Structure formats: C-alpha cells, structure tokens
Amino acid sequence: GENVEQHPSTLSVQEGDSAVIKCTYSDSASNYFPWYKQELGKRPQLIIDIRSNVGEKKDQRIAVTLNKTAKHFSLHITETQPEDSAVYFCAPRGWAGSYQLTFGKGTKLSVIP
Amino acid sequence: NAGVTQTPKFQVLKTGQSMTLQCAQDMNHNSMYWYRQDPGMGLRLIYYSASEGTTDKGEVPNGYNVSRLNKREFSLRLESAAPSQTSVYFCASSWGETQYFGPGTRLLVL
C-alpha cells in the first residue's frame, strides 16, 4: 500500500507569514494529490488538489506544488490568518480508478495573532 | 441539501455490546466510505463501497462490518465492541475524486 509522510507534524507561524507543509508518498502510480483541512471539532474538507499532469495550482492564498520525480507535494499558505489554524492532511490516491485516498497523519498549524 | 449526515453524534458502549453507525448522503454519489480518526493517526479507511451493491475492505477492517443499503445509505456495524474501537468515525461520499465528509460520530467503548 501507499506510505504517506507529512512534515512537520506541528507548525506555528506569526499572522501574515507563510506556511509550507510537505507530503511524501511511496507509490509512483499515484496521480491525484489533495489537501484537506480540518478545524477543531469539525469534519475534513477539501481545500485544494492537483493532478499528476500539473506542477502547480493556486487558489487565492493557497497553492499546491507537485514533484512527481521526487514523489512529494507541498501545501503553501501565504499571508496566514488566524482562521487558517487547523489540522491539514495530504491524501494521495494510489492509482487512477482507485477509490482509496491514503491520509497522512496531519500537520497542526497554529497562526499566532 | 443536507450533504452527508451521520447518526448518532456520540455514543458510549460497554465492551462486548454491538451497535450500528448510520450514514446517508443526498448528493447522488456512487461511492461511500467509512474512516476512523485517532489522535496522531490521521484518517484510516475501514471499508468503502464503490457503488451500490459492492463493498470492499480498507486499511483497518477487523472488527467491523458494513452494509450498503441503497445508493444513499452506508452503515457500519460493530458486532462486539472493544476499547480499541474508541475513536471518531467519519463517513464520506464521492462522485469523482473529491470526498465529502459527514460530521462524525464520537464513540467511547468502556
């Protein structure tokens, strides 16, 4: 199965600074790379995703970059705000047609006002 | 449009008791999933149903059974609960790649 590692496990940044979370995966057939955000006591929600034929995708203050050769992808959050405080999960999909996402263990981001 | 709903929100069981967690979606999604979330472990897939009439094991299926009752509903059954099954259980559904999660069921097994 897919082995997924996220780093760091916790991250504290000052409001307005940038945050970067990295996800490393093992399956070279992986072709879909989402990031989910889970606020305290809430359900996980998709915030951004990227497919293997694209190197970078942006949506306002968040972006995802993919390095398929090195088998890692990263979440970038710029101009962080207190509402960005949450746990973020990467969840690569092993192969096209698979229904299974393999979630990383999560990164707890704290944005200090 | 309620999305994905789960019942109950919270449950306390004694070791050996059985219970069924209910999940329903109103988005006409084909695929449904059950995950458990433990501190520091992320979300781990228990079972999934790619379409009505099919179910498959995920990463941690032992101690659980599932039923895809119809396209809308996917239930998770614990036949004989154990303290190791204390967790938060999330149901999810999808049409394509994006999974939509329910609000979760917090289960405590004493």
Side-chain angles (χ1 to χ4, degrees):
Chain A
E2 177 96 90
N3 289 321
V4 177
E5 290 190 6
Q6 265 184 252
H7 293 282
S9 56
T10 60
L11 180 59
S12 290
V13 299
Q14 293 288 333
E15 183 176 355
D17 286 351
S18 295
V20 181
I21 303 168
K22 184 177 178 179
C23 182
T24 303
Y25 61 94
S26 63
D27 189 347
S28 56
S30 294
N31 69 344
Y32 173 66
F33 308 93
W35 285 95
Y36 282 77
K37 175 183 180 182
Q38 186 178 27
E39 297 175 4
L40 188 63
K42 301 288 180 65
R43 72 192 77 187
Q45 290 188 297
L46 177 73
I47 55 170
I48 196 165
D49 57 12
I50 194 169
R51 287 164 182 78
S52 57
N53 58 343
V54 176
E56 181 176 358
K57 182 178 178 181
K58 284 185 181 178
D59 182 3
Q60 299 182 356
R61 295 188 298 108
I62 61 172
V64 55
T65 57
L66 172 64
N67 184 328
K68 277 218 81 180
T69 304
K71 291 190 279 189
H72 65 75
F73 62 111
S74 297
L75 176 68
H76 305 255
I77 306 174
T78 58
E79 300 172 25
T80 53
Q81 300 169 3
E83 53 264 38
D84 295 327
S85 294
V87 179
Y88 292 83
F89 295 96
C90 64
R93 182 180 68 182
W95 48 275
S98 167
Y99 293 87
Q100 296 190 45
L101 302 178
T102 302
F103 282 79
K105 295 184 178 181
T107 297
K108 183 177 181 180
L109 173 65
S110 300
V111 179
I112 304 162
Chain B
N1 214 356
V4 181
T5 57
Q6 292 182 237
T7 56
K9 287 192 169 82
F10 180 70
Q11 183 73 44
V12 179
L13 289 179
K14 294 182 180 176
T15 297
Q17 287 185 320
S18 62
M19 80 161 295
T20 300
L21 282 65
Q22 306 285 355
C23 174
Q25 53 92 9
D26 62 2
M27 296 178 283
N28 201 33
H29 287 168
N30 277 343
S31 303
M32 298 186 73
Y33 313 82
W34 276 105
Y35 292 90
R36 61 178 289 173
Q37 185 174 37
D38 303 296
M41 295 296 292
L43 290 105
R44 292 183 292 170
L45 184 65
I46 305 171
Y47 271 93
Y48 67 99
S49 172
S51 60
E52 187 178 354
T54 68
T55 60
D56 283 287
K57 295 178 181 179
E59 180 185 353
V60 288
N62 291 346
Y64 305 96
N65 284 302
V66 291
S67 295
R68 183 75 183 265
L69 304 169
N70 47 55
K71 191 170 186 178
R72 289 187 63 250
E73 298 171 287
F74 189 38
S75 63
L76 178 72
R77 182 158 178 86
L78 288 71
E79 290 292 350
S80 178
S84 60
Q85 294 178 305
T86 293
S87 189
V88 179
Y89 291 86
F90 285 100
C91 176
S93 70
S94 70
W95 173 261
E97 292 146 330
T98 304
Q99 293 190 13
Y100 297 86
F101 286 82
T105 293
R106 190 172 294 274
L107 177 66
L108 175 61
V109 183
L110 301 175

